[in-house]
Amino acid sequence: MKLETKRLVLEKLEMKYDKAFYSYRSDVETNKYQGWIPYALEDCQHFIKNRIAKEFNEPGTWYQFAIILQDSNEMIGDFGVHFLDGDEHQVEIGCTINKKHHRKGYAKEAASAIINHLFCNLKKHRIIASVDPLNTPSILLIEKLGFRKEAHFKESIVINGQWVDDVIYAILGKEWATTAT
């Protein structure tokens, strides 16, 4: 599975990206809203080997894209798509970008390409995103993409040993068709 945009290549996260993956995913402050932070390179290698689906659109799995700059071939982030078990019409998404590349539009560009593929090619009905309500940059991004807030769950998830709130945003395929940029 490979997608290309004006500035990016989105391809399966593989072992060749383990060091780049570790370099930004291990940044505790930048990733404080993430449910998983690796403490060693081996954690990333285990994640790549054992936690990523072999095939795109496999129910009950996460498929992880590496986000790569076309001009330099540098991996700058990753984008996950969770194909929900027992529901082939809905998926969950999540994105992490290396802090050196924040505020350059890469997350929106990657998300737009993947969302477009999910709705237009795979005919998914609904895409959701789960966000910590304190993660303002992520909320702004998904709202720019046309997602709407559907729920706010109080202290519903444990992240880094603490109970935190979880906000669910979603967009339908028919909504994306009218807002896609």
Side-chain angles (χ1 to χ4, degrees):
M1 181 69 214
K2 187 175 186 177
L3 299 170
E4 291 190 29
T5 70
K6 183 178 180 181
R7 301 179 295 167
L8 305 171
V9 174
L10 308 165
E11 64 183 31
K12 185 176 182 183
L13 178 60
E14 295 179 334
M15 202 59 76
K16 66 183 177 181
Y17 299 118
D18 64 343
K19 290 175 186 64
F21 186 52
Y22 177 69
S23 73
Y24 66 87
R25 277 291 193 131
S26 61
D27 181 342
V28 175
E29 180 57 30
T30 301
N31 297 303
K32 64 186 170 190
Y33 302 115
Q34 297 280 349
W36 177 77
I37 297 175
Y39 295 100
L41 178 62
E42 292 77 20
D43 296 336
C44 288
Q45 292 166 337
H46 181 267
F47 181 94
I48 293 168
K49 184 178 179 187
N50 299 306
R51 293 187 56 198
I52 299 173
K54 304 286 186 251
E55 299 294 325
F56 192 71
N57 202 18
E58 187 178 322
T61 67
W62 278 91
Y63 186 92
Q64 212 76 16
F65 286 94
I67 302 171
I68 299 147
L69 293 176
Q70 279 196 22
D71 61 356
S72 67
N73 208 32
E74 175 188 3
M75 181 187 172
I76 62 162
D78 61 278
F79 196 103
V81 180
H82 182 201
F83 295 96
L84 304 175
D85 196 19
D87 188 346
E88 66 186 55
H89 303 291
Q90 297 186 82
V91 298
E92 177 183 4
I93 60 170
C95 183
T96 306
I97 300 287
N98 185 320
K99 71 180 173 187
K100 296 186 308 186
H101 298 284
H102 284 185
R103 301 175 200 258
K104 297 179 181 175
Y106 294 130
K108 185 174 188 231
E109 189 172 330
S112 294
I114 292 168
I115 292 166
N116 200 59
H117 180 73
L118 290 166
F119 282 140
C120 297
N121 297 331
L122 295 182
K123 306 300 182 201
K124 297 298 179 185
H125 175 70
R126 183 170 175 266
I127 297 174
I128 64 170
S130 169
V131 185
D132 186 303
L134 300 176
N135 189 348
T136 305
S138 289
I139 289 172
L140 291 172
L141 169 64
I142 58 177
E143 287 177 347
K144 283 181 188 173
L145 290 165
F147 284 65
R148 84 186 147 287
K149 183 177 176 180
E150 291 192 339
H152 185 139
F153 299 103
K154 295 297 223 175
E155 296 186 16
S156 61
I157 298 175
V158 175
I159 294 185
N160 302 319
Q162 300 216 15
W163 285 98
V164 298
D165 290 5
D166 184 29
V167 179
I168 304 298
Y169 281 80
I171 188 169
L172 300 174
K174 63 185 173 187
E175 295 167 329
W176 178 256
T178 62
T179 62
T181 54

